[in-house]
Amino acid sequence: MINAAGYKDQLKRQYGLWGIIGIALTVDNAWAALGSSISVSIRNGGPPGLIYGLIVALFWYSFIGLSLAELASSVPTAGGVYHWATIAGGPRWGRMLGFFTGWLNFYGWMFDLASLMQITANIAVQLYATYRQDAYTPQAWHVYITYIVLLWLSTLFVIFANRLVPYTQNLGMFFVIVGGVITIIVIAVMPKRHASNHFVFSPGSFEQNNLTGWDGGVAFLLGVLNGAFTIGTPDAITHIAEELPRPRRDLPRAIGMQLGLGFLYAFVFAIALSYSITDISQLQGGINTYPLAGIYQQATQNAGATFGLLFILFLTSLCCCIGTVLTNSRTYWALARDNAVPFSTFFGRVDEALSCPVQATVFVSVVATGLGAIPLGSSSAFLALTGSFVVLTTVSYAIPFTANILTGRQYFPAGPFHLGKKLGNAINLIAVLLIVMFDILFFFPYELSTTVESMNYNSVILVGTVAISVIWWFVHATRHYPGPKVMKLYIHEDTPVLDGTDPRETENVVKKEAKLNT
């Protein structure tokens, strides 16, 4: 399909089904993400808010996952939602919808990369602090220096050891699965005393530990952000579609495995973690803090055991960082390949010897370096990073879902995973409605009596990224952006022949490839 569209197949198809599942689980890194972002929800009702919020997030993302899996099975490309929005919008609106979707998705993934690097840097600093609690106080600039080192080590690995990346993701899957089991067992067995069932599950505990100033229902829904960040990466592997031999078949399976296993591990981990808390007041210091280290200390009462648990988390998160740099670089490269970014010719290049878009990868890391500095000046910066990731990526999902409904689902051929028109429309619509509801909620101030420093900037970031995209649309895209080449394979009505090729002539190529992938 890539060659039929006019793209050159420049990336090695080096991932099998288990390789792509490894990337899915490693980039998601659900139980580690939940524990490391617990500062987002620990003040939103304590353990009940954490556990029940994760269940609600799974309900929400199940509709997103099903919708994405169907599109990935139909049209697997590195552009992901960017290409799907283009196709779904049809000949009249597709080019514009795809442009904005691609940019919003890219911005969202940049905030995710910054969030994950912030988490991994925090873990590294806590590893150092574990044996120096009386003599060392972590500072924000310590975390940022560590952030930069880890980011650029990951970048160099993706560029110069690209052929080894599948092995790091398999290793990451091992750490996610085996490391998760070990961690859950340790924090379940080692505590000399456990929290009560009331503390972990009851609505009364939620009310007691709701320190946001919001009423219970609003506070709970705001805390769903932690669960959304935990499992909210279902499109990650779609950007590696061109490095798979059978993407139509394997991508839907990997998306399902990512959501299912990710939730299962995170749910069990959340329960075990909640029972190991003995003094929650010590963990409610603020959004930019790292309370998971304190929970491990309370659970084990042993510096060596705390260090060991944090080290497992560090290895898991480091593999996740490598996978996320890979995802982001492929996303930006896909935009550059279609002349959607400044200096597209430069950023659209691929070093075929390294099998890597080097310029796009370096650019992604330069931007991430800047985003990592945000926590130096804001006490709620981590909320801005995680919240903006969820808001921007889900908006980018909602655009192709909505367009697909409005155009009667006419532009996507049925892949091996196909929902059908009635069920597909219902699932797409529910996904969009839930996205609208939660994204509006995630614009609310995290706590009442908000100051400038602790303000929730998610709405500002969304408007800002849209404004930048609008400016670039009028400055460049209206005259120089032709839209992705996959348009000519799927959009036939009122579409002119491009590059001397009748779109209908390529249709048989797509059908033959679909048969090979089933």
Side-chain angles (χ1 to χ4, degrees):
M1 188 270 287
I2 295 304
N3 293 331
Y7 294 120
K8 183 180 178 182
D9 205 351
Q10 296 175 287
L11 301 175
K12 295 177 182 177
R13 296 185 179 269
Q14 59 184 341
Y15 299 100
L17 175 60
W18 287 107
I20 197 68
I21 289 175
I23 290 181
L25 292 176
T26 304
V27 171
D28 187 29
N29 202 15
W31 67 268
L34 178 135
S36 296
S37 61
I38 198 173
S39 61
V40 174
S41 60
I42 197 74
R43 297 171 64 85
N44 284 68
L50 177 70
I51 294 169
Y52 298 131
L54 179 61
I55 295 173
V56 172
L58 175 69
F59 176 78
W60 173 22
Y61 271 85
S62 293
F63 294 99
I64 292 176
L66 286 169
S67 300
L68 291 174
E70 182 184 35
L71 296 177
S73 184
S74 175
V75 184
T77 76
V81 291
Y82 154 54
H83 285 172
W84 301 334
T86 303
I87 296 167
R92 184 174 182 182
W93 300 104
R95 190 170 71 97
M96 183 175 68
L97 289 180
F99 178 86
F100 285 98
T101 300
W103 273 109
L104 289 173
N105 187 254
F106 170 70
Y107 289 134
W109 274 102
M110 286 307 306
F111 280 101
D112 182 58
L113 176 59
S115 301
L116 294 171
M117 286 295 173
Q118 178 80 5
I119 286 171
T120 310
N122 263 313
I123 297 169
V125 169
Q126 290 298 327
L127 281 169
Y128 177 81
T130 298
Y131 286 106
R132 296 168 178 82
Q133 295 181 30
D134 297 332
Y136 173 69
T137 301
Q139 302 292 328
W141 69 269
H142 300 167
V143 176
Y144 183 56
I145 295 298
T146 309
Y147 173 107
I148 294 174
V149 171
L150 294 172
L151 170 64
W152 285 98
L153 284 176
S154 300
T155 302
L156 292 173
F157 192 90
V158 167
I159 293 173
F160 295 107
N162 186 57
R163 63 185 180 84
L164 299 178
V165 171
Y167 300 103
T168 67
Q169 301 311 291
N170 290 337
L171 185 64
M173 181 168 62
F174 172 81
F175 287 133
V176 168
I177 295 175
V178 178
V181 170
I182 292 172
T183 300
I184 290 168
I185 291 174
V186 169
I187 62 176
V189 172
M190 282 197 70
K192 295 180 180 178
R193 66 185 182 90
H194 292 86
S196 66
N197 293 334
H198 170 84
F199 175 75
V200 174
F201 291 111
S202 77
S205 175
F206 178 89
E207 295 296 335
Q208 292 168 7
N209 294 295
N210 174 17
L211 306 181
T212 64
W214 290 105
D215 290 338
V218 176
F220 172 74
L221 291 173
L222 294 178
V224 172
L225 176 62
N226 183 224
F229 181 73
T230 297
I231 59 174
T233 60
D235 75 305
I237 50 173
T238 66
H239 300 291
I240 313 171
E242 294 169 36
E243 296 168 72
L244 290 170
R246 295 181 178 85
R248 284 187 168 89
R249 184 195 67 181
D250 290 344
L251 284 175
R253 294 177 179 179
I255 291 172
M257 289 283 286
Q258 177 183 359
L259 284 172
L261 287 179
F263 168 78
L264 179 63
Y265 265 81
F267 182 70
V268 175
F269 179 67
I271 293 174
L273 200 65
S274 298
Y275 274 111
S276 66
I277 296 173
T278 56
D279 186 357
I280 195 171
S281 64
Q282 294 183 10
L283 312 174
Q284 296 172 325
I287 295 168
N288 283 356
T289 60
Y290 194 74
L292 184 61
I295 297 175
Y296 282 170
Q297 290 169 359
Q298 290 184 14
T300 64
Q301 297 294 308
N302 183 285
T306 300
F307 184 92
L309 293 176
L310 288 173
F311 189 67
I312 291 173
L313 198 61
F314 176 76
L315 294 176
T316 303
S317 299
L318 188 59
C319 292
C320 178
C321 290
I322 292 171
T324 307
V325 169
L326 179 76
T327 295
N328 285 35
S329 67
R330 299 314 192 253
T331 303
Y332 194 72
W333 168 71
L335 288 167
R337 186 174 59 174
D338 294 326
N339 199 29
V341 307
F343 309 106
S344 289
T345 303
F346 178 74
F347 288 116
R349 296 174 185 170
V350 171
D351 186 316
E352 296 191 27
L354 297 173
S355 188
C356 178
V358 177
Q359 291 88 339
T361 305
V362 171
F363 174 79
V364 159
S365 297
V366 169
V367 175
T369 301
L371 292 176
I374 294 175
L376 295 175
S378 171
S379 63
S380 61
F382 186 70
L383 178 66
L385 296 178
T386 57
S388 294
F389 160 65
V390 172
V391 168
L392 290 168
T393 53
T394 53
V395 169
S396 76
Y397 303 156
I399 295 172
F401 298 168
T402 303
N404 202 23
I405 295 171
L406 295 178
T407 56
R409 300 168 65 85
Q410 63 178 303
Y411 296 112
F412 288 93
F417 180 77
H418 183 58
L419 296 172
K421 187 170 184 178
K422 290 184 178 179
L423 179 61
N425 280 336
I427 290 174
N428 292 164
L429 181 60
I430 294 171
V432 170
L433 292 176
L434 289 173
I435 287 170
V436 171
M437 182 187 78
F438 279 108
D439 283 359
I440 290 174
L441 284 166
F442 295 157
F443 293 154
F444 285 21
Y446 184 72
E447 296 179 355
L448 294 181
S449 302
T450 302
T451 63
V452 173
E453 186 184 40
S454 63
M455 174 184 169
N456 183 345
Y457 287 94
N458 290 340
S459 58
V460 177
I461 291 171
L462 176 62
V463 172
T465 53
V466 171
I468 292 171
S469 301
V470 168
I471 292 170
W472 184 239
W473 170 260
F474 285 109
V475 170
H476 168 82
T478 51
R479 291 176 296 172
H480 304 294
Y481 169 67
K485 295 178 181 179
V486 294
M487 287 177 67
K488 68 183 181 183
L489 290 177
Y490 300 98
I491 303 176
H492 296 166
E493 293 183 9
D494 302 322
T495 303
V497 174
L498 301 177
D499 301 325
T501 303
D502 187 333
R504 294 167 181 82
E505 292 178 5
T506 61
E507 194 168 346
N508 290 333
V509 177
V510 178
K511 290 179 179 178
K512 288 178 181 178
E513 188 177 283
K515 289 180 180 178
L516 291 174
N517 288 331
T518 54

